[in-house]
Amino acid sequence: MSARPVDPKRDPIRPGPTDSVTITFEGREYVGVRGQSVAGVLLANDVLDWRTSSTRHEPRGLFCGIGVCFDCVVTVDGQRDVRACQRTARDGAQVERQHDELPRRVEGAGS
Amino acid sequence: MTDILVIGAGPAGLAAAAAARRRGATVRVIDSAERTGGQYWRHLPESRPAGREAVLHHQWNTYQSLRQALEFDPGCTIDTETQVWAVERRADGTLRVNLASGDVDGTRATESVVPDRLILATGAHDRALPVPGWTLPGVFTAGAAQAMAKGERIAVGDRVVVAGSGPFLFPVTASLGQAGARVVGVFEASRPSRMARHWLARPWELAGASHKVSELAGYVAHHVRGRVPYRTGYGVVEIHGTARVEAVTVARLDADWAPVLGTERRIDCDAVCLGHGFTPRLELAVAAGCELTDERFVRVDGEQRTSVDGVFAAGEITAIGGVDLALAEGEIAGWVAAGGSTADAPVRSARRARDRFTRFAERIATAHRIGASWSSWLQDDTIVCRCEEVDAGTLNRVAESTASVGLRSLKLTTRAGLGLCQGRICGRTVEQLLAGASGCTAFADGTTTDRRPIAAPLRIGDLARAPQSTETSPHQIP
């Protein structure tokens, strides 16, 4: 286990009670704390990648964490291109991996 | 009464709004995030109350008092989850600011406003230099690690390596520690001699900034207590792993940040946090027509006025200077935008603070300047533009073979900087690598990667629904 939530019992900020939130990603349910972003819930469960890049087909996930890099985009409840680090996770949200294929070269067109 | 629109609710924006209110203007503050505070005071949502959240922050009381003063003030409107997607210059010289609000990247409502005065406090984001392997899951910017720690109470890894340059590496390391991660090493690229020369020079100038020095000393003590190895003149030169980060190679760097052969060492880890300084978020200032400095920040005068009439700038977009400078600049910008002057007694201490912390900012910039030879740790297939997956070899080949010295044509040929982030992450790096390969110092077409006429993505449906003629003062609801 690498990425993980802070253990509330050992957290120096002395957190109060929280509610949980459950999202679905690639057929599995992941539980986080209400108020966390989609990226937060996934990271809390040690899920690090939720996008496949277009050219090299490599795994991507959170990078900048503040909505600048767009590396973390996912499809949420059917809506594409949602930055996982900026969207608050709603209970029952269906999160899907995003993989945008490059357009195929048309035979005989261009060079 | 003057209507002021403040863009950004971080330290500079909040200080600007509060000062403008004290001087009698009506103020609207917008921020793209769900909560105010900016990246500096990134905090937990109200649904997660905590007894001692202040332990994660510096100057938490300042934030609380700014927030309370503004939230309960009928002359101030704060709109979060609201973002500027374009700034247009109109024929009569006024600026139309186009806003989108609602669920981030969801279906959004649009609105256009024409404020009397505009205060830009858009801040900065981390700069991370490319390193072989830096696209692996588990590699984050230093800011991401901190955002996750402070805003979500998540540790991005168990064994974490922090690398880059600048004093920001200290609070990031502290945040990781408070989140229960083990920081197995902090690697500062600047060499101790350079840091000492610039940090310790002219000590009398530091007198007024002594709490900054003690803040830094506190972090150093934290490192010693927590036995976090802190190495200067070292950098992460390669990141290893297949599906996620498994290890890094660190090496000693020479004065120009070129790795010294034979000094490589492998360290196992499951997360890497990179931070090589910051890039100011300039697109709105550029769209408004504001002049930039040679160092590529927004040029402001002693009253925080930009070169465009009625437009002010404060905080990290004028220089990377930290929270004290941002607060002081914000206060002056807000006060002057509302009709005041820097000669007025209420902003005298802000003016003094600004001068003091400007010198502090210059010191940091010089001590941690990116070394000219950093790119020697790149490999041909190292991705530089993460969105379009353009590697260093491609950039070099295209620049050398086309002999083009126009940035626009080089970008179109390589596709570097044309992806979803619009060059926010790679822009300055791409410019530097292309210029290096073309052997030019400035591009012939005079362009930079700071220009982004569409400042935030907007769904075509939201745009289609947008009423065409709703132009309001910042306070009227269309």
Side-chain angles (χ1 to χ4, degrees):
Chain A
M1 190 76 177
S2 53
R4 65 207 175 185
V6 180
D7 177 357
K9 291 191 288 293
R10 304 175 64 178
D11 193 339
I13 70 167
R14 294 195 197 137
T18 53
D19 296 326
S20 67
V21 64
T22 304
I23 64 172
T24 305
F25 173 65
E26 299 196 314
R28 278 192 60 184
E29 289 194 337
Y30 294 99
V31 180
V33 176
R34 188 176 297 278
Q36 273 176 338
S37 65
V38 169
V41 174
L42 291 172
L43 281 177
N45 290 279
D46 200 28
V47 176
L48 295 192
D49 83 272
W50 48 81
R51 184 170 78 86
T52 304
S53 71
S54 301
T55 307
R56 295 194 186 179
H57 303 265
E58 285 172 350
R60 296 285 180 91
L62 187 81
F63 180 63
C64 83
I66 61 169
V68 172
C69 77
F70 290 80
D71 237 342
C72 69
V73 293
V74 279
T75 298
V76 178
D77 295 328
Q79 194 160 39
R80 293 169 36 84
D81 297 327
V82 175
R83 284 168 285 175
C85 73
Q86 299 293 294
R87 173 65 69 84
T88 302
R90 273 199 208 109
D91 209 33
Q94 301 286 321
V95 178
E96 293 165 66
R97 173 179 298 269
Q98 204 161 307
H99 174 216
D100 300 318
E101 291 279 5
L102 293 177
R104 269 180 311 169
R105 189 181 291 274
V106 180
E107 287 302 318
S111 50
Chain B
M1 226 186 299
T2 314
D3 264 337
I4 297 179
L5 178 65
V6 180
I7 302 174
L14 293 177
R21 284 296 299 137
R22 285 199 296 277
R23 188 62 179 68
T26 52
V27 178
R28 179 174 177 183
V29 186
I30 63 156
D31 196 283
S32 60
E34 268 190 323
R35 300 184 282 286
T36 60
Q39 302 311 333
Y40 188 77
W41 288 315
R42 177 107 162 196
H43 59 281
L44 291 165
E46 270 170 23
S47 59
R48 298 182 68 177
R52 296 177 66 223
E53 192 172 0
V55 300
L56 302 180
H57 295 274
H58 286 282
Q59 305 197 31
W60 186 240
N61 289 338
T62 308
Y63 171 57
Q64 292 301 336
S65 47
L66 281 169
R67 180 178 158 176
Q68 272 151 26
L70 295 170
E71 276 178 6
F72 299 102
D73 177 349
C76 178
T77 316
I78 300 177
D79 291 315
T80 51
E81 288 185 278
T82 301
Q83 193 164 18
V84 179
W85 64 270
V87 173
E88 296 169 82
R89 277 189 283 177
R90 303 193 306 171
D92 63 358
T94 56
L95 293 171
R96 177 160 63 187
V97 183
N98 298 295
L99 308 175
S101 57
D103 245 1
V104 174
D105 297 337
T107 304
R108 314 197 87 186
T110 58
E111 173 195 2
S112 297
V113 297
V114 180
D116 295 332
R117 301 269 190 280
L118 182 63
I119 300 178
L120 300 171
T122 47
H125 60 77
D126 295 77
R127 177 152 183 205
L129 294 175
V131 181
W134 74 314
T135 53
L136 278 169
V139 181
F140 308 96
T141 67
Q146 210 184 28
M148 282 294 137
K150 295 201 309 194
E152 310 225 12
R153 297 311 283 143
I154 285 170
V156 294
D158 177 38
R159 289 174 56 85
V160 186
V161 165
V162 176
S165 188
F168 183 54
L169 301 183
F170 289 119
V172 168
T173 303
S175 291
L176 283 163
Q178 285 174 315
R182 282 180 291 173
V183 178
V184 294
V186 180
F187 300 94
E188 160 66 57
S190 285
R191 292 167 75 88
S193 53
R194 182 178 183 88
M195 285 166 63
R197 197 159 65 240
H198 297 283
W199 275 103
L200 305 176
R202 303 180 303 283
W204 59 91
E205 283 182 8
L206 285 173
S210 56
H211 73 280
K212 287 314 262 192
V213 178
S214 57
E215 191 180 309
L216 287 168
Y219 284 130
V220 173
H222 165 92
H223 278 64
V224 174
R225 270 200 315 277
R227 286 188 286 280
V228 176
Y230 177 74
R231 305 295 298 269
T232 51
Y234 273 81
V236 166
V237 296
E238 188 168 359
I239 302 169
H240 312 279
T242 43
R244 59 200 291 170
V245 171
E246 290 161 20
V248 294
T249 296
V250 297
R252 203 150 71 75
L253 305 180
D254 71 15
D256 291 323
W257 294 20
V260 178
L261 272 177
T263 62
E264 298 87 352
R265 187 159 58 93
R266 197 180 156 106
I267 299 172
D268 289 340
C269 61
D270 53 35
V272 181
C273 303
L274 300 174
H276 300 91
F278 294 90
T279 307
R281 303 181 73 165
L282 296 176
E283 52 270 78
L284 299 183
V286 170
C290 301
E291 231 173 74
L292 304 184
T293 64
D294 293 343
E295 290 79 31
R296 308 261 295 273
F297 289 97
V298 179
R299 187 187 297 285
V300 287
D301 68 8
E303 300 203 303
Q304 302 301 129
R305 294 176 198 276
T306 68
S307 61
V308 177
D309 198 29
V311 180
F312 296 73
E316 308 291 79
I317 58 169
T318 72
I320 303 302
V323 70
D324 298 282
L325 185 57
L327 287 167
E329 288 189 354
E331 189 175 336
I332 294 166
W335 184 261
V336 176
S341 139
T342 43
D344 299 339
V347 291
R348 200 173 292 151
S349 68
R351 213 178 58 215
R352 275 200 300 269
R354 184 190 54 192
D355 297 344
R356 204 157 59 226
F357 289 109
T358 297
R359 289 195 292 272
F360 196 73
E362 287 163 359
R363 198 179 277 262
I364 292 170
T366 327
H368 298 278
R369 184 157 289 150
I370 290 175
S373 301
W374 70 268
S375 59
S376 55
W377 69 57
L378 295 177
Q379 298 164 7
D380 257 10
D381 66 348
T382 305
I383 283 176
V384 174
C385 167
R386 300 171 61 97
C387 299
E388 293 289 316
E389 296 174 89
V390 184
D391 60 32
T394 305
L395 289 176
N396 281 328
R397 272 192 305 279
V398 169
E400 281 166 12
S401 64
T402 62
S404 170
V405 286
L407 179 62
R408 192 186 301 262
S409 65
L410 286 167
K411 273 171 65 183
L412 288 170
T413 315
T414 60
R415 296 205 54 78
L418 299 182
L420 263 180
C421 92
Q422 289 285 287
R424 285 176 170 87
I425 298 298
C426 72
R428 302 226 162 161
T429 301
V430 166
E431 283 178 28
Q432 200 188 340
L433 294 176
L434 287 175
S438 316
C440 63
T441 49
F443 294 102
D445 54 2
T447 57
T448 70
T449 54
D450 294 326
R451 192 177 158 274
R452 294 179 196 96
I454 304 298
L458 191 67
R459 290 183 195 275
I460 203 90
D462 298 341
L463 196 56
R465 262 196 321 279
Q468 290 307 300
S469 58
T470 51
E471 252 173 43
T472 61
S473 91
H475 291 278
Q476 285 159 356
I477 294 152

